[in-house]
Amino acid sequence: MLLKQLLEDDFNQIVDERLSDAAEELANSPYDTDLGLNMAQDAKKVVAGKLDIQTFHKKYHASLVKEFGQQVRQGTQEDNGKTKVKWGMVIDLRKCVGCDSCMVACKAENRTPPGISYNVVLEKEVGEFPHISKVNLPMPCMHCDNPPCVQVCPVRATFKLDNGIVTIDNDRCIGCRYCIVACPYGARSYDFGESYEDEMLGFNDVTSPEYGIERGKREPRKTPIGTVRKCNFCLHRLERGEEPACVETCIGDARFFGDLNDPNSTVSKLANSPRAFKLKSDLGAGPNVIYLR
Amino acid sequence: MSTVVKETKHPNDKAKGALPTLFKWWIGILLVLFAVGAYFIMERLWLGLTTTNLSSVTPWGAWIAFYIFFVGLSAGSFLLSTMIFVFGMKRYEKVGKMALFIAIICMIVALTFVLMDLGRPERALSALVHWNVTSILAWEMRFYVIYITLLTVELYVAMREDFVRLAAHDSLKGKVARLLTFKDSTINDYTRKRDHRWMKILGTIGIPLAILGVHGGTGAIFAVVSARPAWNSGIFPIIFVVSAMVSGTALLLAIYVIRCKALKQPIDEQMVVGLAKLMIAFLFIDLLLQFYDYLVALYSLADSHLLSLQTMMRSAYSWSFWGIQIFLGAVVPIFLVYWKKTAKNMNALLVAAVFVVIGIIGVRFNIVVPSQIVPIMEGMPAGDYYPTYNEWFVSIGIMAMGLLIFTIADRLLPLDQEMDGSEMGDQNAR
C-alpha cells in the first residue's frame, strides 16, 4: 500500500515537471484564460462522471459564443450528446458497374460459408432492345429503423444496437428462422454448416470474429452453425475505425458510409439528394441503406 | 345397454392375456415406422438441417406445415369437445374425452415437429426464458404450454369418475386408475356437480385460449409477416381456426369409426352422420373464406399477389392445390356426404373424413411453401423446395410416435367410457 502511494507520488512529480503550467500556456493564446481553466476543471468532472455533458454545454455555451463567435455553433451542436451515431450507407447506382467485388470482399472479410452472402448484387435488364439499360442493385442488410426481424424474434437474439446496426447474438439464436421469413429484403441466411474446405485449404481454421467474438475453428454443430447470420456493417472493422469491407473495396466509389445523424456527413447530404430512394419504403421498416438512382 | 358395456369391456380384459392379432400388427407396424423415423431423426440431429431441402430462400418447409397441421387438429378436436362439455351437445358425448386426449397428443406431435425444425433444438427451452413481447412466436410458445396444461387438467377431471370406478377393478386400467386417484376418492352427487362445474369452467377458459391463443395465434405467426403478401391478411388467422375445426372434426370421426371397427364395437351411426354434416359445414365456411382471400389478392393485380397465386394454382406445385386441397379435400368428401347412396354408409363417411384430413394437410403445405417459392424481391432467386427422404421419414416417425402414444394410452385410460358407466359403477358396488 505504502509502496504504491510512493510510486504514485513519484509519477505525479514526474508528470508535474513535464507538464507546462496551464495558466501560463493559456495566457499565450489570444483567448480568455479564465474560461479555459474553468472549462478544463469542469471537463475533468464530466470525464469522472460527476457532471452531465449537457449541463456542461449549457453552462459554457453563452461564453463560448461570445469568445469564438459563429464558428463555435457547429461544434457545440455536434458534441451535444443528444445525437447518437446512426450508421448508414448510400449506394450510387449510376456509379455501380456490377463488378461484384463488394460481394467478394464481404465473403473474404466475414468468411461466409457456401450459400451465405451478407451482400449480394442483383442484376436486371430493363427495357427492350435497343432501348435497354442494365441495373445493378447491391444489397447489404438495410439495418432498418423498425426491423421486422427484430420484431418477430422469439428470444430477442437479434436486436438493434444504439448505433443503428442490427445484430444477432448467435449464442442465443434458436434457429427458428422466423426472421428470415419476416425480412422483406432477403438479407438473412441460415448457416447450414456447409464449408469451402474442399476447395479452399484452411477455410475451417477460423471463424470470422463477428461482433468481436473469437469463435476459433469452424466445426460441425458449433455456433454459428445452426443459427441465422447477416450483414453487420462490418462492426468489427468500425470499431477499429475502418469502413465496411464492401465500401472500402468498391472500385467505382459507389458506396458511401457514415453517420446519418450528422447533417454534415457525406451520407446525410447524399441521402437528402433528389436522386435518393429506399427499397420497399412502403413497408414501414425504414431502411438505412439509401440508393441514388 | 348392458350388452354394449360388456362388449366394450371385452377386448380390454383380454388385453392382459393374449393380445388380438390385429392389435399386435398395429403396434408392430407403428414401432417399425417409429424406429425408422428415429434413425432419420438421429441423422438430422447429427448432420443438421443439410439433411433437408430447406434453404435461406425457403427457410420453412414440411415440418412447419405439419406443425401447423397438428396444432390445427388439436385446436379443432378441443373445440369439438367444448361443444359437448360446455354447450351440452349430448349427442357427441361419446367422443368427448377422446377429443380432449387427441388434442393433447396432437400438441405433443406438433411441438416435436417444431423441435425437429429448430436449427438449435438444444436451445428450445430458452424460448420460454427470454421473451420478446412483440414476437407472436414467443407468445405462441407460452400459449401452447398453458393450453397443454389446461387440456391435461380438463381430461383428468373428465375421467375422474371413471378412475374412481375402475380403481376397484383388477385390470390394467384399474391399476392405472389406482395410481391416479386418492384412496378416499368417491362419486356422489356433490362430486358429480363439482366435476361438471369444473369441466364447464376449464372448457370456457379453453375456448378463447384455443381460438385466439393457440390456433388464431399460429395463423397470426404467418399473417403478421408483411414481407410475404400471400400471408399478410386479417382473414388469415380466421381461416386457420376454421380449417382447424374442419380437420379436428374429420379426425375425430375417422378415429371413432376406425376404433369401433377395430374393437368390434357397434357404431353410433346417427352420431357419425351428424359429425360428417358438421365437418362439411365447417368445410363450406373454410372454402368461402379462402375464396374471398384469393379474390381480394387477385383483384389487387399486384405482382407479388399474382405470383403467389400463380405458384399455388398454376405451377409445378399446383397438383397439391387442385389435386389434394380442392379435389381430395373438398369435392370428394362433399360428394360422399351428400350423395344419397353414401350419406349413411359408415365406410364412405370414413373415407370422406380421411380425405378431409389429407386435404387439410394439403392446405397447410399450400400455406407454407408457395409463398416462400416466390422471390422476396424482384431479381432474387426463386425457391425450389420439395421435402427430402429425411424430412418425410422424420415426419412419418413423429406421427407414428403420436399414434403409439394414443394406442397405448387408450389401453391404460378410460377414454371411451360412456354415460351408462354410472350403472356399471353401481353394479360393481354391489
Side-chain angles (χ1 to χ4, degrees), chain B residues 227-232 294 297 302-315 317 321 366-367 369-375:
Chain B
R228 313 271 173 179
W231 296 341
N232 193 22
Y294 299 145
D303 274 350
S304 49
H305 278 300
L306 293 184
L307 271 172
S308 302
L309 288 177
Q310 208 173 10
T311 316
M312 188 154 65
M313 297 175 189
R314 287 177 61 195
S315 75
Y317 298 94
F321 179 78
N366 293 336
I367 285 170
V369 179
S371 49
Q372 294 181 88
I373 297 297
V374 181

Side-chain angles (χ1 to χ4, degrees), chain A residues 50-124:
Chain A
K50 286 171 189 157
L51 188 70
D52 189 22
I53 183 84
Q54 267 133 357
T55 335
F56 177 80
H57 283 303
K58 233 181 241 167
K59 190 172 171 187
Y60 290 105
H61 188 254
S63 19
L64 280 174
V65 170
K66 200 175 132 199
E67 189 70 24
F68 298 98
Q70 288 301 320
Q71 66 194 95
V72 81
R73 280 251 165 97
Q74 195 49 61
T76 46
Q77 262 176 11
E78 246 182 16
D79 326 318
N80 220 345
K82 276 179 197 163
T83 47
K84 283 177 289 186
V85 172
K86 182 167 121 180
W87 294 121
M89 196 182 278
V90 174
I91 302 175
D92 190 339
L93 296 183
R94 276 198 212 163
K95 278 177 161 183
C96 175
V97 295
C99 66
D100 289 1
S101 57
C102 48
M103 226 164 110
V104 176
C106 174
K107 240 181 169 352
E109 177 68 34
N110 294 302
R111 299 182 73 91
T112 49
I116 298 184
S117 190
Y118 294 168
N119 179 81
V120 292
V121 183
L122 306 184
E123 287 167 20
K124 205 191 161 197

Side-chain angles (χ1 to χ4, degrees), chain B residues 6-79:
Chain B
K6 238 180 199 167
E7 267 183 22
T8 51
K9 292 275 63 175
H10 185 62
N12 297 327
D13 292 341
K14 236 171 91 179
K16 267 179 81 185
L19 291 165
T21 1
L22 191 67
F23 182 75
K24 273 188 206 159
W25 272 104
W26 173 242
I27 290 281
I29 291 169
L30 286 182
L31 277 174
V32 169
L33 288 178
F34 179 63
V36 173
Y39 168 78
F40 283 96
I41 287 173
M42 294 312 286
E43 186 187 59
R44 178 255 168 270
L45 290 176
W46 192 247
L47 297 175
L49 291 181
T50 36
T51 52
T52 67
N53 262 346
L54 298 170
S55 63
S56 292
V57 179
T58 315
W60 285 351
W63 292 336
I64 292 294
F66 277 120
Y67 144 66
I68 57 175
F69 170 70
F70 279 102
V71 170
L73 276 185
S74 172
S77 45
F78 170 74
L79 289 175

Side-chain angles (χ1 to χ4, degrees), chain A residues 265-283:
Chain A
S265 67
T266 317
V267 279
S268 292
K269 285 174 185 162
L270 288 175
N272 289 321
S273 124
R275 287 166 62 206
F277 74 100
K278 293 173 177 181
L279 292 176
K280 294 194 181 181
S281 52
D282 52 324
L283 281 185

Side-chain angles (χ1 to χ4, degrees), chain B residues 128-143:
Chain B
L128 292 175
V129 179
H130 309 293
W131 187 353
N132 179 9
V133 286
T134 60
S135 171
I136 308 282
L137 191 54
W139 281 91
E140 284 317 296
M141 291 290 174
R142 283 153 185 87
F143 274 131

Side-chain angles (χ1 to χ4, degrees), chain B residues 96-391:
Chain B
K97 277 172 276 184
M98 190 78 83
L100 274 178
F101 189 64
I102 289 172
I104 297 175
I105 296 217
C106 285
M107 280 316 287
I108 295 170
V109 171
L111 291 182
T112 315
F113 271 111
V114 176
L115 194 69
M116 281 302 108
D117 191 68
L118 287 185
R120 286 262 159 192
E122 79 275 15
R123 294 182 193 161
L125 285 179
S126 80
L128 292 175
V129 179
H130 309 293
W131 187 353
N132 179 9
V133 286
T134 60
S135 171
I136 308 282
L137 191 54
W139 281 91
E140 284 317 296
M141 291 290 174
R142 283 153 185 87
F143 274 131
Y144 294 158
V145 172
I146 299 169
Y147 176 65
I148 293 173
T149 316
L150 180 129
L151 286 178
T152 314
V153 174
E154 193 180 342
L155 181 65
Y156 179 81
V157 176
M159 292 192 305
R160 203 196 70 91
E161 284 193 9
D162 302 320
F163 280 143
V164 174
R165 245 175 262 130
L166 278 168
H169 286 245
D170 195 31
S171 61
L172 195 57
K173 279 189 181 180
K175 274 181 196 152
V176 175
R178 276 198 291 283
L179 269 179
L180 291 172
T181 46
F182 293 109
K183 281 231 165 62
D184 53 351
S185 298
T186 50
I187 309 169
N188 52 40
D189 281 347
Y190 167 72
T191 61
R192 196 163 292 154
K193 234 182 185 170
R194 182 195 65 189
D195 288 355
H196 271 268
R197 200 180 62 232
W198 271 108
M199 288 303 289
K200 223 169 186 171
I201 292 171
L202 289 171
T204 315
I205 299 170
I207 292 171
L209 187 67
I211 294 180
L212 180 99
V214 173
H215 210 57
T218 306
I221 290 178
F222 294 84
V224 295
V225 178
S226 56
R228 313 271 173 179
W231 296 341
N232 193 22
S233 81
I235 204 171
F236 209 70
I238 311 273
I239 295 180
F240 258 67
V241 174
V242 176
S243 48
M245 297 297 293
V246 177
S247 61
T249 318
L251 183 77
L252 220 56
L253 197 166
I255 287 188
Y256 175 73
V257 175
I258 291 172
R259 197 172 166 283
C260 284
K261 279 181 186 288
L263 297 177
K264 299 202 171 55
Q265 293 172 3
I267 301 171
D268 183 345
E269 299 203 359
Q270 220 182 341
M271 185 189 76
V272 172
V273 172
L275 275 176
K277 290 265 157 65
L278 194 67
M279 169 182 91
I280 297 298
F282 286 136
L283 186 60
F284 275 131
I285 303 173
D286 195 30
L287 289 172
L288 192 73
L289 291 175
Q290 278 174 17
F291 169 75
Y292 280 126
D293 200 37
Y294 299 145
L295 181 71
V296 170
L298 183 69
Y299 210 84
S300 76
L301 297 180
D303 274 350
S304 49
H305 278 300
L306 293 184
L307 271 172
S308 302
L309 288 177
Q310 208 173 10
T311 316
M312 188 154 65
M313 297 175 189
R314 287 177 61 195
S315 75
Y317 298 94
S318 56
W319 60 268
S320 165
F321 179 78
W322 295 114
I324 299 199
Q325 179 172 343
I326 298 296
F327 183 72
L328 217 59
V331 176
V332 176
I334 291 172
F335 177 77
L336 284 176
V337 171
Y338 280 103
W339 195 37
K340 269 188 188 135
K341 284 190 182 165
T342 50
K344 295 238 156 51
N345 185 323
M346 286 305 109
N347 289 332
L349 292 182
L350 173 63
V351 170
V354 171
F355 278 6
V356 166
V357 173
I358 294 172
I360 298 292
I361 297 181
V363 171
R364 301 314 189 200
F365 269 83
N366 293 336
I367 285 170
V368 173
V369 179
S371 49
Q372 294 181 88
I373 297 297
V374 181
I376 191 124
M377 279 195 67
E378 208 183 335
M380 284 208 165
D384 178 19
Y385 175 78
Y386 195 80
T388 55
Y389 282 117
N390 180 288
E391 285 175 88

